[in-house]
Protein backbone atom coordinates (compact mmCIF):
# COMPACT_ATOMS: atom_id res chain seq x y z
CA UNK A 1 0.00 0.00 0.00
CA UNK A 2 1.27 3.45 -0.88
CA UNK A 3 1.11 6.11 1.76
CA UNK A 4 2.73 8.17 4.46
CA UNK A 5 3.63 6.69 7.81
CA UNK A 6 4.51 8.54 10.98
CA UNK A 7 5.85 7.11 14.19
CA UNK A 8 5.30 7.00 17.00
CA UNK A 9 1.58 7.79 17.24
CA UNK A 10 2.00 9.14 20.78
CA UNK A 11 5.19 10.48 22.30
CA UNK A 12 5.92 11.75 25.78
CA UNK A 13 8.95 13.87 26.47
CA UNK A 14 10.49 15.28 29.57
CA UNK A 15 11.50 18.90 29.55
CA UNK A 16 15.04 19.36 28.25
CA UNK A 17 14.99 16.29 26.03
CA UNK A 18 15.33 16.20 22.27
CA UNK A 19 12.97 13.85 20.44
CA UNK A 20 12.80 12.78 16.80
CA UNK A 21 9.58 12.14 14.93
CA UNK A 22 9.68 9.82 11.97
CA UNK A 23 8.01 10.39 8.60
CA UNK A 24 8.30 7.97 5.68
CA UNK A 25 6.51 7.95 2.31
CA UNK A 26 6.48 5.41 -0.51
CA UNK A 27 4.52 7.58 -2.95
CA UNK A 28 7.67 8.75 -4.77
CA UNK A 29 6.68 12.31 -3.92
CA UNK A 30 9.27 15.03 -4.36
CA UNK A 31 8.31 17.40 -1.57
CA UNK A 32 7.74 16.73 2.11
CA UNK A 33 6.44 18.98 4.87
CA UNK A 34 6.12 19.20 8.63
CA UNK A 35 3.22 21.02 10.28
CA UNK A 36 2.21 21.66 13.83
CA UNK A 37 -1.44 21.87 14.92
CA UNK A 38 -2.57 23.22 18.27
CA UNK A 39 -6.15 22.87 19.58
CA UNK A 40 -8.53 25.13 17.68
CA UNK A 41 -5.76 26.29 15.38
CA UNK A 42 -4.95 25.73 11.76
CA UNK A 43 -1.83 24.06 10.47
CA UNK A 44 1.43 25.95 10.84
CA UNK A 45 4.39 25.05 8.65
CA UNK A 46 7.61 24.13 10.45
CA UNK A 47 9.96 22.96 7.67
CA UNK A 48 9.66 21.71 4.12
CA UNK A 49 11.89 20.03 1.57
CA UNK A 50 11.49 19.99 -2.19
CA UNK A 51 14.50 17.79 -2.93
CA UNK A 52 16.94 15.48 -1.17
CA UNK A 53 19.63 17.23 0.89
CA UNK A 54 17.78 20.54 0.81
CA UNK A 55 15.13 22.02 3.09
CA UNK A 56 13.68 25.41 4.02
CA UNK A 57 12.31 26.95 7.18
CA UNK A 58 8.60 27.48 7.44
CA UNK A 59 6.75 29.95 9.62
CA UNK A 60 7.69 28.45 13.01
CA UNK A 61 11.08 26.71 12.58
CA UNK A 62 12.68 27.88 15.85
CA UNK A 63 13.41 24.95 18.15
CA UNK A 64 13.09 22.35 15.39
CA UNK A 65 15.51 20.68 12.99
CA UNK A 66 15.11 18.35 10.01
CA UNK A 67 17.13 16.31 7.54
CA UNK A 68 16.37 14.92 4.07
CA UNK A 69 19.00 12.31 3.31
CA UNK A 70 16.59 10.10 1.35
CA UNK A 71 13.63 10.97 -0.84
CA UNK A 72 11.38 8.74 1.25
CA UNK A 73 12.28 10.09 4.68
CA UNK A 74 11.97 13.47 6.41
CA UNK A 75 12.50 13.18 10.19
CA UNK A 76 11.77 16.09 12.51
CA UNK A 77 13.70 16.71 15.73
CA UNK A 78 12.02 18.72 18.43
CA UNK A 79 14.84 20.22 20.47
CA UNK A 80 14.89 21.45 24.04
CA UNK A 81 14.95 24.98 22.62
CA UNK A 82 11.30 24.62 21.58
CA UNK A 83 9.52 26.25 24.50
CA UNK A 84 6.03 24.86 23.97
CA UNK A 85 6.33 21.59 22.04
CA UNK A 86 3.11 19.90 23.12
CA UNK A 87 1.08 19.64 19.91
CA UNK A 88 -0.14 17.39 17.10
CA UNK A 89 2.59 17.03 14.46
CA UNK A 90 1.65 16.25 10.88
CA UNK A 91 3.86 15.20 8.00
CA UNK A 92 2.73 15.63 4.41
CA UNK A 93 4.06 15.07 0.92
CA UNK A 94 3.28 16.26 -2.59
CA UNK A 95 4.40 15.63 -6.15
CA UNK A 96 5.81 18.27 -8.46
CA UNK A 97 4.50 18.35 -12.02
CA UNK A 98 5.60 20.95 -14.51
CA UNK A 99 6.67 23.38 -11.82
CA UNK A 100 3.43 23.09 -9.88
CA UNK A 101 3.13 21.30 -6.58
CA UNK A 102 -0.16 19.53 -6.36
CA UNK A 103 -2.23 18.29 -3.48
CA UNK A 104 -0.53 17.50 -0.19
CA UNK A 105 -1.31 14.18 1.44
CA UNK A 106 -0.96 13.74 5.16
CA UNK A 107 0.31 11.01 7.42
CA UNK A 108 -1.67 9.98 10.53
CA UNK A 109 0.24 12.35 12.81
CA UNK A 110 2.23 12.16 16.05
CA UNK A 111 0.82 13.59 19.25
CA UNK A 112 3.68 14.92 21.40
CA UNK A 113 3.18 15.70 25.07
CA UNK A 114 5.79 17.31 27.28
CA UNK A 115 5.62 16.11 30.86
CA UNK B 1 1.17 38.16 5.40
CA UNK B 2 -0.82 35.93 3.10
CA UNK B 3 -4.03 34.91 4.81
CA UNK B 4 -6.82 32.42 4.38
CA UNK B 5 -9.96 33.18 6.35
CA UNK B 6 -12.73 30.81 7.37
CA UNK B 7 -15.63 31.14 9.77
CA UNK B 8 -14.77 28.90 12.72
CA UNK B 9 -18.39 27.80 13.22
CA UNK B 10 -19.80 25.55 14.27
CA UNK B 11 -22.07 25.39 11.26
CA UNK B 12 -25.07 23.29 12.21
CA UNK B 13 -27.27 21.70 9.54
CA UNK B 14 -29.91 18.96 9.69
CA UNK B 15 -29.34 15.64 7.97
CA UNK B 16 -30.19 15.83 4.27
CA UNK B 17 -29.62 19.58 3.99
CA UNK B 18 -26.95 21.40 1.97
CA UNK B 19 -23.95 22.60 3.96
CA UNK B 20 -22.13 25.64 2.56
CA UNK B 21 -18.58 26.31 3.72
CA UNK B 22 -16.78 29.48 2.71
CA UNK B 23 -13.18 30.63 2.45
CA UNK B 24 -11.56 33.90 1.41
CA UNK B 25 -7.90 34.47 0.61
CA UNK B 26 -5.76 37.56 0.35
CA UNK B 27 -3.05 36.56 -2.16
CA UNK B 28 -4.10 37.33 -5.74
CA UNK B 29 -1.24 35.12 -6.95
CA UNK B 30 -2.96 32.01 -5.61
CA UNK B 31 -3.51 29.35 -8.23
CA UNK B 32 -4.53 26.13 -6.50
CA UNK B 33 -7.23 25.63 -3.90
CA UNK B 34 -7.94 22.63 -1.72
CA UNK B 35 -10.52 21.46 0.78
CA UNK B 36 -9.53 19.02 3.50
CA UNK B 37 -11.75 17.24 6.00
CA UNK B 38 -10.38 16.58 9.48
CA UNK B 39 -12.16 14.40 11.99
CA UNK B 40 -11.41 15.06 15.65
CA UNK B 41 -8.03 13.60 16.60
CA UNK B 42 -7.22 12.56 13.02
CA UNK B 43 -5.11 13.99 10.22
CA UNK B 44 -6.55 16.05 7.34
CA UNK B 45 -7.92 14.18 4.35
CA UNK B 46 -8.06 15.80 0.90
CA UNK B 47 -11.61 15.88 -0.47
CA UNK B 48 -11.53 18.45 -3.28
CA UNK B 49 -9.08 20.45 -5.36
CA UNK B 50 -9.94 23.25 -7.79
CA UNK B 51 -7.69 25.27 -10.08
CA UNK B 52 -9.94 27.35 -12.35
CA UNK B 53 -12.95 29.60 -11.92
CA UNK B 54 -16.32 27.91 -11.73
CA UNK B 55 -17.70 24.77 -10.18
CA UNK B 56 -16.20 21.33 -9.77
CA UNK B 57 -18.40 18.47 -8.65
CA UNK B 58 -17.41 15.15 -7.10
CA UNK B 59 -20.25 13.08 -5.74
CA UNK B 60 -22.01 15.05 -3.00
CA UNK B 61 -19.27 17.68 -2.96
CA UNK B 62 -19.05 20.80 -5.12
CA UNK B 63 -16.17 23.25 -4.96
CA UNK B 64 -16.74 26.76 -6.29
CA UNK B 65 -13.97 29.21 -7.14
CA UNK B 66 -14.21 32.93 -7.91
CA UNK B 67 -10.72 34.38 -8.32
CA UNK B 68 -11.99 37.91 -8.94
CA UNK B 69 -13.67 37.92 -5.54
CA UNK B 70 -10.89 35.80 -3.98
CA UNK B 71 -13.45 33.37 -2.71
CA UNK B 72 -13.69 29.58 -2.68
CA UNK B 73 -16.53 27.54 -1.26
CA UNK B 74 -17.48 23.93 -0.62
CA UNK B 75 -21.05 22.69 -0.87
CA UNK B 76 -22.02 19.35 0.65
CA UNK B 77 -25.35 18.06 -0.61
CA UNK B 78 -27.49 15.58 1.34
CA UNK B 79 -25.38 16.14 4.46
CA UNK B 80 -24.89 13.09 6.67
CA UNK B 81 -23.92 12.87 10.35
CA UNK B 82 -20.66 11.29 9.15
CA UNK B 83 -19.84 14.62 7.46
CA UNK B 84 -19.49 16.20 10.90
CA UNK B 85 -15.86 17.33 10.98
CA UNK B 86 -13.67 20.38 10.61
CA UNK B 87 -13.14 21.51 7.02
CA UNK B 88 -9.85 23.19 6.18
CA UNK B 89 -9.36 25.47 3.18
CA UNK B 90 -5.83 25.59 1.75
CA UNK B 91 -4.36 27.82 -0.92
CA UNK B 92 -1.19 27.56 -3.00
CA UNK B 93 0.63 30.44 -4.67
CA UNK B 94 1.92 29.95 -8.20
CA UNK B 95 5.51 28.68 -8.20
CA UNK B 96 5.55 27.78 -4.54
CA UNK B 97 5.39 24.33 -3.00
CA UNK B 98 3.78 25.39 0.26
CA UNK B 99 0.12 25.73 1.22
CA UNK B 100 -1.47 28.34 3.45
CA UNK B 101 -4.25 26.89 5.57
CA UNK B 102 -7.27 28.51 7.12
CA UNK B 103 -8.14 27.62 10.71
CA UNK B 104 -11.07 25.54 9.58
CA UNK B 105 -14.85 25.51 9.93
CA UNK B 106 -16.48 22.94 12.18
CA UNK B 107 -19.55 21.34 10.62
CA UNK B 108 -22.15 19.56 12.73
CA UNK B 109 -24.82 17.50 10.96
CA UNK B 110 -27.66 16.49 13.24
CA UNK B 111 -29.78 13.35 12.58
Amino acid sequence: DGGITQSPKYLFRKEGQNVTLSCEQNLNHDAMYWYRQDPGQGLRLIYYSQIVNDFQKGDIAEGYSVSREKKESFPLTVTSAQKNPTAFYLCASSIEEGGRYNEQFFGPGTRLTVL
Amino acid sequence: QKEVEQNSGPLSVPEGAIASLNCTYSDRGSQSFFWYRQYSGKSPELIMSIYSNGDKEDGRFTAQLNKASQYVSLLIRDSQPSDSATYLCAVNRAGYSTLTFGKGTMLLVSP
Side-chain angles (χ1 to χ4, degrees), chain A residues 41-60:
Chain A
Q41 300 295 314
L43 276 64
R44 292 186 290 169
L45 183 64
I46 304 172
Y47 269 99
Y48 65 102
S49 169
Q50 297 173 248
I51 195 170
V52 173
N53 292 323
D54 189 37
F55 47 83
Q56 289 77 39
K57 293 182 179 179
D59 300 318
I60 55 165

Side-chain angles (χ1 to χ4, degrees), chain B residues 23-34:
Chain B
C23 172
T24 59
Y25 60 94
S26 62
D27 184 1
R28 288 196 172 273
S30 300
Q31 68 165 10
S32 306
F33 306 85
F34 307 97

Side-chain angles (χ1 to χ4, degrees), chain A residues 9 31 33 35 37 40-43 45 48 50 88 90 94 99-109 111, chain B residues 1 31-32 34 36 38 40-46 49 51 56 88 92 95-99 101-104:
Chain A
K9 186 174 182 179
Y33 312 82
Y35 294 92
Q37 188 175 38
Q41 300 295 314
L43 276 64
L45 183 64
Y48 65 102
Q50 297 173 248
F88 189 37
L90 291 158
S94 67
R100 181 163 80 179
Y101 291 83
N102 293 329
E103 303 92 340
Q104 291 185 15
F105 296 92
F106 286 84
R111 197 166 296 277
Chain B
Q1 181 76 9
Q31 68 165 10
S32 306
F34 307 97
Y36 288 84
Q38 187 175 24
S40 180
K42 302 296 185 181
S43 63
E45 172 192 9
L46 179 71
S49 58
Y51 302 99
K56 178 182 178 181
L88 302 172
N92 169 255
Y96 288 74
S97 66
T98 58
L99 296 179
F101 284 83
K103 293 185 177 180

Side-chain angles (χ1 to χ4, degrees), chain B residues 1-23:
Chain B
Q1 181 76 9
K2 309 302 182 186
E3 293 185 347
V4 177
E5 300 287 341
Q6 296 181 256
N7 189 319
S8 62
L11 172 66
S12 296
V13 300
E15 184 174 358
I18 295 175
S20 178
L21 304 163
N22 304 316
C23 172

